Amino acid sequence: MNKSKIFKILAAVGLIVVLFIYIKFFTANTNFDKEEIFVEIPTDSKYEDVQRILSPYVKNMSDFELMANLRSYPKNVKAGRFLLKKGMSAFQLVATMRRNVPVKLAFNNQERLENLCERISAQIEPDTTKLLATFRDTTFLKKNGFTKENVFAMFLPNTYEFYWNISAEKFRDKMLEEYNRFWTKERIAKAAELNLTPVQVITLASIVHKETVKKSERPTVAGVYLNRLRDGMKLQADPTVIYALKLRDNDFDQIIKRVLYNDLFVASPYNTYQNLGLPPGPIAMPDIDAIDAVLTPENHNYLYFCASVERFGYHEFAATMEQHNVNAKKYADWLNAQGTKR
Protein backbone atom coordinates (compact mmCIF):
# COMPACT_ATOMS: atom_id res chain seq x y z
CA MET A 1 0.00 0.00 0.00
CA ASN A 2 1.52 3.30 -1.04
CA LYS A 3 1.81 6.33 1.19
CA SER A 4 -0.97 8.16 -0.64
CA LYS A 5 -3.52 5.47 0.19
CA ILE A 6 -2.33 5.31 3.81
CA PHE A 7 -2.70 9.04 4.14
CA LYS A 8 -6.22 8.94 2.71
CA ILE A 9 -7.22 6.17 5.10
CA LEU A 10 -5.79 8.02 8.08
CA ALA A 11 -7.52 11.20 6.97
CA ALA A 12 -10.84 9.36 6.66
CA VAL A 13 -10.40 7.77 10.09
CA GLY A 14 -9.47 11.15 11.54
CA LEU A 15 -12.55 12.71 10.01
CA ILE A 16 -14.73 9.97 11.45
CA VAL A 17 -13.17 10.47 14.89
CA VAL A 18 -13.67 14.24 14.72
CA LEU A 19 -17.25 13.76 13.58
CA PHE A 20 -17.84 11.26 16.39
CA ILE A 21 -16.44 13.65 18.99
CA TYR A 22 -18.47 16.53 17.58
CA ILE A 23 -21.72 14.57 17.65
CA LYS A 24 -21.00 13.18 21.11
CA PHE A 25 -19.88 16.35 22.84
CA PHE A 26 -20.89 19.38 20.79
CA THR A 27 -24.46 18.74 19.61
CA ALA A 28 -27.68 19.32 21.54
CA ASN A 29 -27.93 17.15 24.65
CA THR A 30 -30.87 18.61 26.57
CA ASN A 31 -34.22 17.05 27.33
CA PHE A 32 -36.63 19.90 28.07
CA ASP A 33 -38.95 22.12 26.02
CA LYS A 34 -38.52 25.45 27.80
CA GLU A 35 -35.92 27.84 26.45
CA GLU A 36 -34.07 27.76 29.76
CA ILE A 37 -34.34 26.33 33.26
CA PHE A 38 -32.46 26.76 36.51
CA VAL A 39 -31.15 23.84 38.58
CA GLU A 40 -30.01 24.16 42.18
CA ILE A 41 -27.14 22.14 43.60
CA PRO A 42 -27.23 22.12 47.42
CA THR A 43 -24.19 22.81 49.57
CA ASP A 44 -21.88 19.79 50.07
CA SER A 45 -23.38 17.94 47.08
CA LYS A 46 -21.36 15.10 45.55
CA TYR A 47 -21.04 14.34 41.85
CA GLU A 48 -23.64 11.58 42.25
CA ASP A 49 -26.09 14.22 43.55
CA VAL A 50 -25.46 16.37 40.49
CA GLN A 51 -26.09 13.40 38.21
CA ARG A 52 -29.41 12.74 39.91
CA ILE A 53 -30.49 16.39 39.74
CA LEU A 54 -29.51 16.78 36.09
CA SER A 55 -30.84 13.45 34.83
CA PRO A 56 -34.36 14.72 33.96
CA TYR A 57 -32.87 17.50 31.82
CA VAL A 58 -30.01 15.73 30.01
CA LYS A 59 -30.79 13.58 26.96
CA ASN A 60 -27.68 11.40 27.07
CA MET A 61 -26.12 11.22 30.54
CA SER A 62 -23.22 9.02 29.38
CA ASP A 63 -22.03 11.80 27.06
CA PHE A 64 -22.33 14.34 29.87
CA GLU A 65 -20.46 12.04 32.27
CA LEU A 66 -17.64 11.42 29.79
CA MET A 67 -17.18 15.15 29.21
CA ALA A 68 -17.43 15.81 32.96
CA ASN A 69 -14.61 13.36 33.61
CA LEU A 70 -12.49 14.80 30.80
CA ARG A 71 -12.83 18.23 32.42
CA SER A 72 -12.32 17.02 36.03
CA TYR A 73 -15.77 18.18 37.08
CA PRO A 74 -16.55 15.26 39.48
CA LYS A 75 -13.71 16.45 41.73
CA ASN A 76 -14.77 20.11 41.50
CA VAL A 77 -18.53 20.12 42.06
CA LYS A 78 -19.90 23.56 42.91
CA ALA A 79 -23.02 24.35 44.89
CA GLY A 80 -25.36 27.04 43.61
CA ARG A 81 -27.91 27.93 40.98
CA PHE A 82 -27.10 27.12 37.38
CA LEU A 83 -28.74 28.08 34.09
CA LEU A 84 -29.40 25.37 31.51
CA LYS A 85 -30.43 26.50 28.03
CA LYS A 86 -32.31 24.42 25.51
CA GLY A 87 -29.97 22.79 22.99
CA MET A 88 -26.82 22.92 25.13
CA SER A 89 -24.18 20.31 24.27
CA ALA A 90 -22.41 18.07 26.77
CA PHE A 91 -19.45 20.46 26.64
CA GLN A 92 -21.70 23.46 27.35
CA LEU A 93 -23.57 21.67 30.12
CA VAL A 94 -20.36 20.91 31.99
CA ALA A 95 -19.17 24.47 31.47
CA THR A 96 -22.41 25.99 32.77
CA MET A 97 -22.24 23.86 35.93
CA ARG A 98 -19.17 25.89 36.89
CA ARG A 99 -21.00 29.25 36.65
CA ASN A 100 -23.09 30.02 39.73
CA VAL A 101 -25.85 32.45 38.68
CA PRO A 102 -26.88 35.06 41.29
CA VAL A 103 -30.48 35.39 42.49
CA LYS A 104 -32.19 38.77 42.37
CA LEU A 105 -33.94 38.60 45.71
CA ALA A 106 -36.78 41.07 46.25
CA PHE A 107 -39.00 41.65 49.27
CA ASN A 108 -41.42 44.28 50.56
CA ASN A 109 -44.80 44.58 52.30
CA GLN A 110 -43.99 41.89 54.88
CA GLU A 111 -45.67 42.22 58.28
CA ARG A 112 -43.30 40.23 60.46
CA LEU A 113 -40.02 38.34 60.47
CA GLU A 114 -41.69 34.93 60.04
CA ASN A 115 -43.37 36.01 56.80
CA LEU A 116 -40.15 37.54 55.52
CA CYS A 117 -38.16 34.38 56.22
CA GLU A 118 -40.72 32.29 54.34
CA ARG A 119 -40.40 34.57 51.33
CA ILE A 120 -36.60 34.62 51.46
CA SER A 121 -36.28 30.85 51.91
CA ALA A 122 -38.24 30.35 48.69
CA GLN A 123 -35.48 32.19 46.83
CA ILE A 124 -32.23 31.02 48.47
CA GLU A 125 -30.95 27.77 50.00
CA PRO A 126 -31.35 28.32 53.79
CA ASP A 127 -34.80 27.32 55.03
CA THR A 128 -37.20 29.36 57.16
CA THR A 129 -36.16 27.72 60.43
CA LYS A 130 -32.46 28.36 59.81
CA LEU A 131 -33.06 31.98 58.83
CA LEU A 132 -35.23 32.69 61.88
CA ALA A 133 -32.70 31.14 64.24
CA THR A 134 -29.92 33.22 62.68
CA PHE A 135 -31.80 36.51 62.93
CA ARG A 136 -32.80 35.77 66.54
CA ASP A 137 -29.35 34.73 67.67
CA THR A 138 -28.93 36.42 71.05
CA THR A 139 -25.25 37.20 70.51
CA PHE A 140 -25.97 38.93 67.20
CA LEU A 141 -28.92 40.86 68.67
CA LYS A 142 -26.96 42.10 71.68
CA LYS A 143 -23.91 43.05 69.63
CA ASN A 144 -25.96 45.15 67.19
CA GLY A 145 -28.49 46.70 69.58
CA PHE A 146 -31.56 44.76 68.44
CA THR A 147 -34.18 42.68 70.24
CA LYS A 148 -36.24 39.75 68.99
CA GLU A 149 -39.16 42.16 68.65
CA ASN A 150 -37.42 44.89 66.67
CA VAL A 151 -34.75 43.09 64.58
CA PHE A 152 -37.32 43.19 61.75
CA ALA A 153 -36.39 46.88 61.45
CA MET A 154 -33.07 45.79 59.95
CA PHE A 155 -34.67 44.78 56.64
CA LEU A 156 -35.16 47.49 54.06
CA PRO A 157 -37.42 46.74 51.08
CA ASN A 158 -35.40 46.53 47.91
CA THR A 159 -34.00 44.13 45.32
CA TYR A 160 -30.73 42.49 46.29
CA GLU A 161 -28.37 40.13 44.49
CA PHE A 162 -27.10 36.99 46.22
CA TYR A 163 -25.83 33.58 45.28
CA TRP A 164 -28.53 30.96 45.91
CA ASN A 165 -26.26 28.96 48.24
CA ILE A 166 -25.39 31.89 50.51
CA SER A 167 -25.44 30.86 54.17
CA ALA A 168 -28.06 32.27 56.55
CA GLU A 169 -25.31 34.02 58.53
CA LYS A 170 -23.81 35.71 55.48
CA PHE A 171 -27.26 36.77 54.31
CA ARG A 172 -28.00 38.26 57.74
CA ASP A 173 -24.67 40.10 57.78
CA LYS A 174 -25.36 41.51 54.31
CA MET A 175 -28.73 42.83 55.49
CA LEU A 176 -27.03 44.45 58.47
CA GLU A 177 -24.51 46.03 56.12
CA GLU A 178 -27.32 47.46 53.98
CA TYR A 179 -29.08 48.74 57.12
CA ASN A 180 -25.94 50.50 58.35
CA ARG A 181 -25.35 51.97 54.90
CA PHE A 182 -28.90 53.35 54.84
CA TRP A 183 -28.48 55.06 58.21
CA THR A 184 -26.19 57.84 57.11
CA LYS A 185 -24.98 60.55 59.47
CA GLU A 186 -27.66 62.82 58.04
CA ARG A 187 -30.50 60.40 58.76
CA ILE A 188 -29.15 59.61 62.23
CA ALA A 189 -28.99 63.35 62.98
CA LYS A 190 -32.61 63.82 61.85
CA ALA A 191 -33.71 60.94 64.08
CA ALA A 192 -31.85 62.45 67.04
CA GLU A 193 -33.65 65.77 66.50
CA LEU A 194 -36.92 63.87 66.94
CA ASN A 195 -35.56 62.11 70.06
CA LEU A 196 -35.86 58.79 68.24
CA THR A 197 -33.43 55.98 67.50
CA PRO A 198 -33.23 54.52 63.97
CA VAL A 199 -35.25 51.48 65.12
CA GLN A 200 -37.91 53.75 66.61
CA VAL A 201 -38.06 55.73 63.37
CA ILE A 202 -38.68 52.54 61.41
CA THR A 203 -41.26 51.39 63.96
CA LEU A 204 -43.18 54.64 63.58
CA ALA A 205 -42.70 54.52 59.80
CA SER A 206 -44.31 51.07 59.76
CA ILE A 207 -47.45 52.61 61.29
CA VAL A 208 -47.39 55.49 58.81
CA HIS A 209 -46.92 52.98 55.99
CA LYS A 210 -49.99 51.03 57.11
CA GLU A 211 -52.10 54.16 57.62
CA THR A 212 -51.82 55.48 54.08
CA VAL A 213 -50.59 54.37 50.68
CA LYS A 214 -50.53 57.99 49.50
CA LYS A 215 -46.91 59.07 49.55
CA SER A 216 -47.85 62.74 49.50
CA GLU A 217 -49.85 62.28 52.71
CA ARG A 218 -47.30 60.35 54.72
CA PRO A 219 -45.38 63.39 56.06
CA THR A 220 -48.71 64.74 57.35
CA VAL A 221 -49.58 61.46 59.08
CA ALA A 222 -46.07 61.24 60.51
CA GLY A 223 -46.50 64.75 61.88
CA VAL A 224 -49.68 63.73 63.71
CA TYR A 225 -47.98 60.86 65.51
CA LEU A 226 -44.92 62.93 66.33
CA ASN A 227 -47.18 65.62 67.79
CA ARG A 228 -48.85 62.96 69.94
CA LEU A 229 -45.51 61.61 71.14
CA ARG A 230 -44.37 65.14 71.93
CA ASP A 231 -47.54 65.86 73.94
CA GLY A 232 -47.43 62.56 75.85
CA MET A 233 -50.58 61.23 74.18
CA LYS A 234 -51.21 57.64 73.19
CA LEU A 235 -50.74 57.06 69.46
CA GLN A 236 -54.10 55.27 69.17
CA ALA A 237 -53.16 53.86 65.76
CA ASP A 238 -55.65 51.40 64.29
CA PRO A 239 -52.95 49.44 62.41
CA THR A 240 -51.34 48.52 65.74
CA VAL A 241 -54.66 47.10 66.94
CA ILE A 242 -55.01 45.08 63.75
CA TYR A 243 -51.47 43.76 64.21
CA ALA A 244 -52.26 42.85 67.83
CA LEU A 245 -55.39 40.94 66.74
CA LYS A 246 -53.49 39.02 64.06
CA LEU A 247 -50.73 38.22 66.55
CA ARG A 248 -53.26 37.04 69.12
CA ASP A 249 -54.95 34.79 66.57
CA ASN A 250 -51.63 33.73 65.02
CA ASP A 251 -53.25 34.47 61.67
CA PHE A 252 -51.60 37.12 59.53
CA ASP A 253 -53.62 36.11 56.46
CA GLN A 254 -56.90 37.41 57.86
CA ILE A 255 -58.24 40.66 56.42
CA ILE A 256 -59.46 43.27 58.92
CA LYS A 257 -60.90 46.37 57.26
CA ARG A 258 -62.68 47.76 60.31
CA VAL A 259 -61.49 48.11 63.91
CA LEU A 260 -64.38 47.63 66.33
CA TYR A 261 -64.76 49.23 69.76
CA ASN A 262 -64.04 45.99 71.63
CA ASP A 263 -60.87 45.51 69.58
CA LEU A 264 -59.37 48.55 71.24
CA PHE A 265 -59.02 46.60 74.48
CA VAL A 266 -57.02 43.65 73.14
CA ALA A 267 -54.19 42.96 75.55
CA SER A 268 -50.95 43.38 73.64
CA PRO A 269 -47.81 45.52 73.86
CA TYR A 270 -48.56 46.44 70.22
CA ASN A 271 -51.94 47.99 71.04
CA THR A 272 -51.26 51.74 71.12
CA TYR A 273 -54.77 52.44 72.40
CA GLN A 274 -53.74 50.74 75.64
CA ASN A 275 -50.03 51.51 75.80
CA LEU A 276 -48.21 54.82 75.77
CA GLY A 277 -45.45 55.33 73.23
CA LEU A 278 -44.32 53.17 70.35
CA PRO A 279 -44.91 49.41 70.07
CA PRO A 280 -41.90 47.15 70.79
CA GLY A 281 -41.06 46.81 67.10
CA PRO A 282 -42.29 47.45 63.54
CA ILE A 283 -45.74 46.18 62.57
CA ALA A 284 -44.71 45.98 58.91
CA MET A 285 -41.82 46.60 56.57
CA PRO A 286 -42.14 50.31 55.70
CA ASP A 287 -41.25 51.77 52.32
CA ILE A 288 -38.22 54.06 52.24
CA ASP A 289 -40.48 57.06 51.62
CA ALA A 290 -42.42 56.22 54.81
CA ILE A 291 -39.14 56.23 56.76
CA ASP A 292 -38.13 59.55 55.21
CA ALA A 293 -41.62 60.91 55.95
CA VAL A 294 -40.96 60.34 59.65
CA LEU A 295 -37.51 61.91 59.38
CA THR A 296 -38.90 64.95 57.51
CA PRO A 297 -42.46 65.28 58.79
CA GLU A 298 -44.91 68.04 57.94
CA ASN A 299 -44.98 70.77 60.58
CA HIS A 300 -48.60 71.29 61.69
CA ASN A 301 -50.86 71.21 64.77
CA TYR A 302 -52.98 68.19 63.84
CA LEU A 303 -53.54 65.56 66.52
CA TYR A 304 -56.22 63.44 64.85
CA PHE A 305 -57.15 61.99 61.47
CA CYS A 306 -59.51 59.45 59.94
CA ALA A 307 -60.27 58.13 56.48
CA SER A 308 -62.03 60.54 54.15
CA VAL A 309 -65.35 59.61 52.53
CA GLU A 310 -65.01 62.39 49.96
CA ARG A 311 -61.42 61.70 48.82
CA PHE A 312 -61.06 57.93 48.94
CA GLY A 313 -57.58 56.81 49.89
CA TYR A 314 -56.90 60.06 51.72
CA HIS A 315 -57.62 61.28 55.26
CA GLU A 316 -59.28 64.17 57.04
CA PHE A 317 -57.07 65.83 59.66
CA ALA A 318 -58.12 67.75 62.75
CA ALA A 319 -56.48 69.73 65.53
CA THR A 320 -59.37 69.28 67.98
CA MET A 321 -61.34 66.29 69.23
CA GLU A 322 -64.58 68.04 68.31
CA GLN A 323 -63.65 68.30 64.64
CA HIS A 324 -62.25 64.78 64.65
CA ASN A 325 -65.52 63.40 66.03
CA VAL A 326 -67.37 65.01 63.13
CA ASN A 327 -64.98 63.44 60.62
CA ALA A 328 -65.04 60.06 62.36
CA LYS A 329 -68.86 59.94 62.37
CA LYS A 330 -68.92 60.56 58.62
CA TYR A 331 -66.59 57.64 58.09
CA ALA A 332 -68.47 55.32 60.47
CA ASP A 333 -71.76 56.16 58.77
CA TRP A 334 -70.21 55.41 55.39
CA LEU A 335 -68.89 52.02 56.59
CA ASN A 336 -72.32 51.15 57.96
CA ALA A 337 -73.92 52.10 54.66
CA GLN A 338 -71.47 49.79 52.87
CA GLY A 339 -72.30 46.94 55.25
CA THR A 340 -68.66 46.62 56.35
CA LYS A 341 -68.75 44.67 59.63
CA ARG A 342 -65.11 43.61 59.75
Side-chain angles (χ1 to χ4, degrees), residues 21-40:
I21 293 174
Y22 177 79
I23 293 173
K24 200 165 187 64
F25 297 137
F26 297 97
T27 58
N29 192 25
T30 55
N31 191 35
F32 51 88
D33 295 326
K34 295 181 179 179
E35 289 303 313
E36 58 183 39
I37 62 169
F38 284 98
V39 295
E40 293 158 353

Side-chain angles (χ1 to χ4, degrees), residues 246-273:
K246 290 181 176 182
L247 190 63
R248 180 197 65 187
D249 300 338
N250 193 29
D251 180 8
F252 278 78
D253 292 325
Q254 64 177 305
I255 297 175
I256 301 175
K257 294 182 178 180
R258 185 174 189 177
V259 174
L260 306 177
Y261 178 73
N262 288 338
D263 296 336
L264 304 182
F265 299 96
V266 61
S268 171
Y270 289 90
N271 182 358
T272 57
Y273 276 84

